Amino acid sequence: AAHDGFDAALDSIAAGTVPATAPFPEIAAAVARHRMALTPFRDLLSAFRQDVTTTRYATEALLFDYCRRSANPIGRLMLRIFDADTPANVAASDAICTALQLINFWQDIAVDWAKGRVYLPLEHLERFDVTEAHIAEARCDDLWRALMNLESARTRALLESGRPLTRALPWRVRLGISGVLAAGHPVLDGIDAAGGHVFRR
């Protein structure tokens, strides 16, 4: 019901009417000031809806589609604020935002399990002969380590692929993005150093 209300508020903004309920007056003002499309907001809302019903992701493609809507809109909105949403910048921003979402998933595997959620793609579990029992039992064997090595390496590469964005924006924003990249790598380093044992660290 709350999501329906948010959807209706976005429809009102699209029609030129400013909803009175916070945070929509601020959103409407930002949309007008920066000539923002409402698509990123709708994408975020669709991800919020999905959080209510989806607890597993069969494939990496499905997980990335979730990240496309749950994380990437933030970067795209920031680029629009700075009038820097070129195709190249958007692609780099998407890579960074998706990588940060994945890093959060990998470090919080035990936390998400307690909430009934598994973000590791099920096809990856199957490829490495890992089961959900590994998570339930906090079992960090060679199979689990191989799986986490894959996730860490691929996420690190994705994060680094967004680095060109640090050279494309005003210096203050570049500093912020450089800080984001600098914060993401140590988490992956920690996962690697722990041999993928994200259950106790």
Side-chain angles (χ1 to χ4, degrees):
H3 291 150
D4 289 344
F6 274 54
D7 232 350
L10 292 177
D11 288 341
S12 294
I13 292 173
T17 304
V18 179
T21 307
F24 294 104
E26 292 84 357
I27 291 175
V31 166
R33 184 182 312 117
H34 300 289
R35 305 181 310 283
M36 289 177 169
L38 289 176
T39 302
F41 298 100
R42 295 193 188 281
D43 283 346
L44 286 168
L45 183 56
S46 76
F48 298 159
R49 288 183 183 278
Q50 188 165 317
D51 285 332
V52 177
T53 58
T54 303
T55 61
R56 303 291 188 276
Y57 291 85
T59 66
E60 182 180 72
L62 289 172
L63 181 64
F64 273 51
D65 178 68
Y66 172 76
C67 294
R68 177 185 64 79
R69 290 173 289 114
S70 67
N72 297 3
I74 305 302
R76 291 182 175 221
L77 289 169
M78 291 298 293
L79 289 176
R80 179 83 289 274
I81 287 172
F82 289 100
D83 196 22
D85 49 347
T86 66
N89 287 351
V90 167
S93 173
D94 284 353
I96 291 172
C97 290
T98 290
L100 292 175
Q101 178 80 86
L102 295 175
I103 289 170
N104 187 61
F105 288 155
W106 308 155
Q107 72 175 352
D108 284 347
I109 287 172
V111 174
D112 289 327
W113 176 257
K115 299 176 182 177
R117 296 178 177 177
V118 175
Y119 288 102
L120 287 161
L122 300 185
E123 66 178 358
H124 289 188
L125 270 64
E126 183 178 357
R127 184 191 311 174
F128 287 91
D129 202 21
V130 168
T131 70
E132 292 189 10
H134 280 80
I135 306 173
E137 300 166 8
R139 188 194 317 163
C140 187
D141 57 13
D142 289 343
L143 298 174
W144 178 262
R145 282 189 286 272
L147 170 62
M148 292 307 297
N149 282 340
L150 170 79
E151 306 299 3
S152 176
R154 295 181 72 172
T155 304
R156 189 186 302 277
L158 185 61
L159 185 64
E160 272 304 299
S161 72
R163 189 170 291 278
L165 195 60
T166 63
R167 300 186 292 272
L169 297 174
W171 71 271
R172 286 185 180 179
V173 188
R174 292 202 304 267
L175 287 177
I177 294 171
S178 296
V180 167
L181 293 173
H185 280 291
V187 179
L188 294 173
D189 291 343
I191 292 172
D192 292 344
H197 205 323
V198 293
F199 306 109
R200 297 178 183 170
R201 304 190 185 187

